[in-house]
C-alpha cells in the first residue's frame, strides 16, 4: 500500500469519511452514515484482566472530562490532577488497575491519547470513531509495575487527548479515569516490582531530528535495569509505515504521492551512544485506518492499549555505577518528511537495587549488538519508470544480538546474558496506480535472558509473531460506478517460557487473530457493509481462556 497512507490522511483534512484513492472517487460523507445512525459499542474477544478478590479502594482522578479542542486558546488538554493513593488500602498492593470509561456521539476521527503519573507514561491509547447515536467504551490497564510511583505518596496525574470540534466534526470525547488499589492476601501476594522508576520524558523523532537523548543518573547500588518504550508513528505516512514503498519506487513514480523509506521501522535504544536494544513496532491500525467499516465495532489489535516494548539492559549495569549522568537515547532508522510525520513516545527505566549494599560494581564482558538491523530490498517496477504506478517489492530485515555482563552484589557475582534474534519480511504488490494492493508482512521476535550466579541458573524466553495481510481493490466501470473491497488478516502470537536450573517453571501463551472485511459500492446502488471474526486464546497461571466473536454490519452475531 504505497499510496493509501498519504491519501487517507489527506482525505481526512478535506473532510472525507472513507478511504479514497483519487479526488474523483467517493464524496465526503459523515462517518455515522456507514451503518446507519448507530452500531454496537466497541468490544473485543481479548481476555479481561484477572483482578484479585482482596479488599480494594478506588480513586477517581478524572470525572466525565470533556475534550473538545486540544489546540484552542487555552487548549483543554492535558487534564492535570493529583493522584493520592488511598490510605485505607496502603501498599504493598497485589495489583493496581487503571480504568477508563469514555463516550462520544456525532462525527469524529480517532484520536491518540496518553496517561502519565509522576511524569512517567503509563498508557498510550486511541479513541474509537463514533456513531451518530453515540457509543461508549472501556479500557482497563494493569499499572502494577508502576507501584514505586504510588508508594511515593501523591503524584501528578496527566491525561492528554488533543481533539478538534467544529461544524463538521462534532464528537466530544467525554472520559472518566480511576485507579483501583488491591490489597494483598496469601493467595494474592504483592508481585516483585522495581525499586525505582526513571524516565527520559517524551520524545519526538523526525527525519530532520531522528535522535533524542536525555541524561539519567542511576543508583550506585543498581543490580538490574529494564527499559520500557512507548512509541507510535504518526502523520501522513508514518502511521502507515508498515505499508510504505522503497525510495527507488517513489522516485520513479512521483505522480503517485507514495510514501517512501520502505516498510521497516526500527527504534534503537542507546546507552552512552552504544546501541543496547531495538524496538520493532507492531503495526497498530486505529479505528479510522484504511476503512472505518473494518473496525466497527471490534477495534484492531492493540488499538486501545498500545504496546510498551521491553528491553533488558542489565548487561550494561556495570557502566552506570559511577554516580554520574549517563546518556539514554532513542533513534529511528527512517522516517518520512511529510507534514506531522514523527515517532513519538517515552522511555521508562525500571531499576532494581541491591538492598544489602550501597555500592555495586560490574562490567560489560561481551558486546555483539549491531549498530543497525541488516536490511535487504528487491524491487520490480513493471512500468520501467514510466510513473504509472505498478510494482512489486520485498523487504527483509534481521538482527542477531548478544550482550553479557556481570554485577558484583551483596549476594555474589551475578552474570546476565541477553540475546535477541529478530526477523522481518514484507512482500507488496501495487497495481493500477494504487487501486489494487496486496501486502504480506511478518515479524518474528525471540528475546531471551539467562542469569547465573547468586542462585540457580535462570532463563526466560519470549517469542512473538506478528503477521499482517492486506488486500485492497477499487474498480470503476464505464458508467462510473465504483466498487471498493478491503480485507485483512492480522495477528499477535506470544509464548513466554521461564526455567530455573534447567526445569521449566512457567509457560504462558497468547494467540490473537482478527479478520475484518469491508465493502463499499457507489453509483447505480449504494453498499456499506462489513464484518469481522476475532479469536483470542491464551494459557497461563489463570488457566486456559478462549473467546471468538463475529460481527456483521456493526453488530455481533455470535
Amino acid at each position: 500500500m504505497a499510496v493509501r497512507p498519504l491519501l487517507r490522511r489527506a482525505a481526512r483534512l478535506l473532510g472525507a469519511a472513507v478511504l479514497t484513492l483519487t479526488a474523483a472517487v467517493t464524496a465526503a460523507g459523515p462517518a455515522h452514515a456507514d451503518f446507519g445512525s448507530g452500531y454496537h459499542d466497541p468490544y473485543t474477544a481479548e481476555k479481561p484482566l484477572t483482578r484479585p478478590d482482596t479488599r480494594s479502594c478506588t480513586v477517581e482522578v478524572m470525572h466525565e472530562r470533556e475534550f473538545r479542542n486540544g489546540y484552542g486558546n487555552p487548549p483543554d488538554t492535558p487534564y492535570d490532577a493529583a493522584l493520592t493513593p488511598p490510605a485505607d488500602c496502603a501498599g504493598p498492593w497485589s495489583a493496581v488497575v487503571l480504568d477508563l470509561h469514555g463516550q462520544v456521539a456525532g462525527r469524529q476521527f480517532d484520536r491518540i491519547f496518553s496517561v502519565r503519573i509522576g511524569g512517567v507514561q503509563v498508557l498510550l491509547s486511541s479513541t474509537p470513531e463514533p456513531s451518530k447515536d453515540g457509543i461508549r467504551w472501556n479500557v482497563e490497564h494493569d499499572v502494577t509495575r508502576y507501584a514505586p510511583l504510588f508508594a511515593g505518596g501523591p503524584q501528578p496525574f496527566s491525561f492528554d487527548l488533543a481533539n478538534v470540534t467544529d461544524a463538521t466534526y462534532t464528537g466530544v470525547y467525554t472520559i472518566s479515569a480511576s485507579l483501583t488499589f488491591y490489597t494483598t492476601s496469601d493467595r494474592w501476594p504483592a508481585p516483585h516490582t522495581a525499586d525505582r522508576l526513571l524516565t527520559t520524558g517524551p520524545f519526538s523523532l523526525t527525519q530532520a531530528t531522528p535522535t533524542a537523548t536525555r541524561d539519567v543518573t542511576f543508583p550506585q547500588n543498581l543490580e538490574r535495569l529494564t527499559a520500557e518504550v512507548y512509541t507510535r508513528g504518526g502523520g501522513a505516512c508514518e502511521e502507515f509505515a508498515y505499508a510504505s514503498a522503497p525510495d527507488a519506487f517513489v522516485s520513479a513514480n512521483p505522480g503517485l504521492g507514495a510514501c517512501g523509506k520502505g516498510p521497516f521501522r526500527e527504534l534503537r535504544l542507546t546507552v552512552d551512544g552504544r546501541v543496547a536494544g531495538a524496538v520493532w513496532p507492531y503495526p497498530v491500525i486505529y479505528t479510522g485506518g484504511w476503512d472505518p467499516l473494518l473496525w466497527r465495532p471490534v477495534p484492531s489489535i492493540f488499538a486501545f492499549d498500545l504496546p510498551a516494548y521491553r528491553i533488558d539492559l542489565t548487561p550494561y549495569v556495570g557502566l552506570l555505577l559511577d554516580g554520574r549522568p549517563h546518556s539514554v537515547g532513542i533513534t529511528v532508522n527512517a522516517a518520512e518528511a511529510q507534514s506531522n510525520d514523527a515517532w513519538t513516545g517515552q522511555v521508562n527505566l525500571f531499576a532494581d537495587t541491591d538492598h544489602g549494599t550501597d555500592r555495586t560494581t560490574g562490567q560489560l564482558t561481551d558486546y555483539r549488538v549491531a549498530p543497525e538491523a541488516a536490511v535487504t530490498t528487491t524491487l520490480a517496477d513493471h512500468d520501467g519508470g514510466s510513473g504509472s504506478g505498478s510494482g512489486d517489492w520485498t523487504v527483509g530485515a534481521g538482527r542477531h544480538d548478544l550482550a553479557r555482563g556481570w554485577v558484583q552484589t551483596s549476594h555474589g557475582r551475578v552474570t546476565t546474558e541477553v540475546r535477541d534474534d529478530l526477523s522481518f519480511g514484507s512482500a507488496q504488490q501495487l497495481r493500477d496506480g494504487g487501486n489494487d494492493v496486496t501486502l504480506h508482512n511478518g515479524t518474528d521476535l525471540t528475546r531471551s535472558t539467562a542469569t547465573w550466579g547468586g542462585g540457580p541458573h535462570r532463563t526466560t524466553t519470549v517469542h512473538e509473531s506478528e503477521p499482517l495481510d492486506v488486500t485492497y481493490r477499487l474498480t470503476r466501470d464505464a458508467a462510473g460506478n465504483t466498487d471498493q473491497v478491503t480485507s485483512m488478516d492480522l495477528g499477535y502470537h506470544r509464548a513466554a517460557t521461564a526455567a530455573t536450573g534447567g526445569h521449566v517453571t512457567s509457560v504462558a501463551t497468547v494467540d490473537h487473530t482478527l479478520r475484518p472485511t469491508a465493502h463499499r459500492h457507489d453509483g447505480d446502488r449504494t453498499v456499506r457493509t462489513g464484518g469481522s471474526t476475532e479469536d483470542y486464546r491464551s494459557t497461563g497461571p489463570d488457566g486456559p481462556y478462549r473467546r471468538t466473536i463475529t460481527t456483521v454490519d456493526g453488530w455481533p452475531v455470535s
Side-chain angles (χ1 to χ4, degrees), residues 191-213:
H192 170 78
T193 58
D195 296 301
R196 287 186 60 185
L197 266 174
L198 307 167
T199 183
T200 64
F203 65 77
S204 179
L205 310 177
T206 66
Q207 190 180 90
T209 57
T211 300
T213 61

Side-chain angles (χ1 to χ4, degrees), residues 135 182 224 335 348 365 426:
I135 56 172
Y182 294 88
R224 296 192 62 84
N348 299 326
T365 58
S426 176

Side-chain angles (χ1 to χ4, degrees), residues 4-153:
R4 214 63 47 241
L6 180 60
L7 291 182
R8 174 66 174 116
R9 288 308 174 193
R12 287 187 166 196
L13 296 176
L14 295 173
V18 300
L19 182 68
T20 59
L21 292 171
T22 67
V25 180
T26 307
H32 55 69
D34 292 332
F35 289 142
S37 62
Y39 59 90
H40 191 278
D41 290 342
Y43 79 126
T44 176
E46 188 172 349
K47 182 182 178 181
L49 291 181
T50 299
R51 305 196 184 214
D53 59 5
T54 60
R55 184 171 57 86
S56 63
C57 303
T58 297
V59 177
E60 187 177 56
V61 287
M62 188 171 74
H63 180 72
E64 294 186 355
R65 173 74 177 187
E66 292 187 346
F67 294 89
R68 295 177 178 271
N69 193 342
Y71 307 96
N73 188 21
D76 61 11
T77 192
Y79 170 81
D80 294 319
L83 168 63
T84 301
D88 288 344
C89 293
W93 302 281
S94 58
V96 184
V97 177
L98 170 65
D99 284 295
L100 303 178
H101 306 282
Q103 55 186 315
V104 60
R107 184 182 188 188
Q108 193 53 264
F109 293 138
D110 53 70
R111 304 291 183 183
I112 296 293
F113 66 89
S114 61
V115 178
R116 291 179 173 85
I117 298 175
V120 173
Q121 182 153 11
V122 301
L123 175 68
L124 181 61
S125 185
S126 71
T127 65
E129 292 194 351
S131 68
K132 181 180 179 180
D133 290 345
I135 56 172
R136 296 175 180 267
W137 83 103
N138 302 308
V139 174
E140 57 174 9
H141 184 63
D142 188 343
V143 293
T144 311
R145 64 185 180 274
Y146 305 106
L149 294 175
F150 313 132

Side-chain angles (χ1 to χ4, degrees), residues 399-529:
R399 176 178 280 279
H400 306 282
D401 299 331
L402 180 147
R404 182 187 303 122
W406 57 262
V407 179
Q408 188 67 43
T409 73
S410 62
H411 47 88
R413 176 173 291 191
V414 180
T415 300
T416 301
E417 179 181 277
V418 175
R419 290 178 179 267
D420 288 343
D421 293 290
L422 319 179
S423 64
F424 168 84
S426 176
Q428 301 186 45
Q429 297 178 348
L430 183 74
R431 301 289 186 272
D432 190 22
N435 292 332
D436 187 339
V437 178
T438 302
L439 164 69
H440 300 287
N441 282 5
T443 302
D444 285 285
L445 315 171
T446 299
R447 303 181 188 269
S448 62
T449 297
T451 303
W452 58 92
H457 189 281
R458 301 169 298 280
T459 61
T460 60
T461 301
V462 177
H463 177 74
E464 297 171 293
S465 176
E466 303 168 354
L468 171 63
D469 294 339
V470 182
T471 58
Y472 177 91
R473 304 285 186 273
L474 182 127
T475 59
R476 179 187 293 272
D477 63 22
N481 302 305
T482 61
D483 197 79
Q484 174 182 308
V485 178
T486 309
S487 62
M488 292 191 180
D489 191 336
L490 60 159
Y492 175 73
H493 309 281
R494 184 179 191 271
T497 304
T500 300
H503 300 286
V504 174
T505 56
S506 67
V507 177
T509 65
V510 170
D511 289 290
H512 191 180
T513 60
L514 178 59
R515 298 180 178 88
T517 61
H519 180 204
R520 296 174 182 270
H521 186 94
D522 288 289
D524 54 355
R525 57 194 173 93
T526 299
V527 175
R528 297 288 186 271
T529 187

Side-chain angles (χ1 to χ4, degrees), residues 53-340:
D53 59 5
T54 60
R55 184 171 57 86
S56 63
C57 303
T58 297
V59 177
E60 187 177 56
V61 287
M62 188 171 74
H63 180 72
E64 294 186 355
R65 173 74 177 187
E66 292 187 346
F67 294 89
R68 295 177 178 271
N69 193 342
Y71 307 96
N73 188 21
D76 61 11
T77 192
Y79 170 81
D80 294 319
L83 168 63
T84 301
D88 288 344
C89 293
W93 302 281
S94 58
V96 184
V97 177
L98 170 65
D99 284 295
L100 303 178
H101 306 282
Q103 55 186 315
V104 60
R107 184 182 188 188
Q108 193 53 264
F109 293 138
D110 53 70
R111 304 291 183 183
I112 296 293
F113 66 89
S114 61
V115 178
R116 291 179 173 85
I117 298 175
V120 173
Q121 182 153 11
V122 301
L123 175 68
L124 181 61
S125 185
S126 71
T127 65
E129 292 194 351
S131 68
K132 181 180 179 180
D133 290 345
I135 56 172
R136 296 175 180 267
W137 83 103
N138 302 308
V139 174
E140 57 174 9
H141 184 63
D142 188 343
V143 293
T144 311
R145 64 185 180 274
Y146 305 106
L149 294 175
F150 313 132
Q155 296 289 330
F157 172 91
S158 179
F159 189 102
D160 194 1
L161 192 165
N163 193 22
V164 175
T165 56
D166 54 28
T168 302
Y169 300 104
T170 59
V172 176
Y173 287 104
T174 303
I175 301 178
S176 298
S178 63
L179 284 95
T180 301
F181 296 79
Y182 294 88
T183 58
T184 60
S185 68
D186 290 341
R187 183 185 173 208
W188 296 98
H192 170 78
T193 58
D195 296 301
R196 287 186 60 185
L197 266 174
L198 307 167
T199 183
T200 64
F203 65 77
S204 179
L205 310 177
T206 66
Q207 190 180 90
T209 57
T211 300
T213 61
R214 180 68 60 88
D215 284 346
V216 179
T217 301
F218 295 90
Q220 291 185 273
N221 61 343
L222 186 63
E223 184 172 341
R224 296 192 62 84
L225 184 65
T226 303
E228 172 185 75
V229 182
Y230 283 98
T231 188
R232 66 168 292 266
C237 288
E238 288 307 291
E239 180 179 327
F240 303 89
Y242 58 86
S244 294
D247 281 347
F249 183 83
V250 176
S251 299
N253 299 271
L256 288 180
C259 294
K261 304 303 176 187
F264 174 68
R265 294 293 182 273
E266 174 180 81
L267 276 73
R268 296 185 284 270
L269 188 68
T270 61
V271 177
D272 290 335
R274 177 190 279 113
V275 175
V279 169
W280 290 8
Y282 186 88
V284 178
I285 305 173
Y286 309 110
T287 55
W290 290 77
D291 188 325
L293 297 182
L294 296 166
W295 319 116
R296 297 179 175 169
V298 179
S300 181
I301 295 174
F302 294 130
F304 288 175
D305 195 350
L306 275 69
Y309 304 95
R310 302 291 187 92
I311 298 175
D312 194 332
L313 299 179
T314 305
Y316 305 92
V317 163
L319 308 176
L320 307 172
L321 300 173
D322 55 9
R324 299 175 180 175
H326 290 268
S327 173
V328 176
I330 190 84
T331 185
V332 66
N333 69 320
E336 278 280 15
Q338 303 287 342
S339 175
N340 297 324

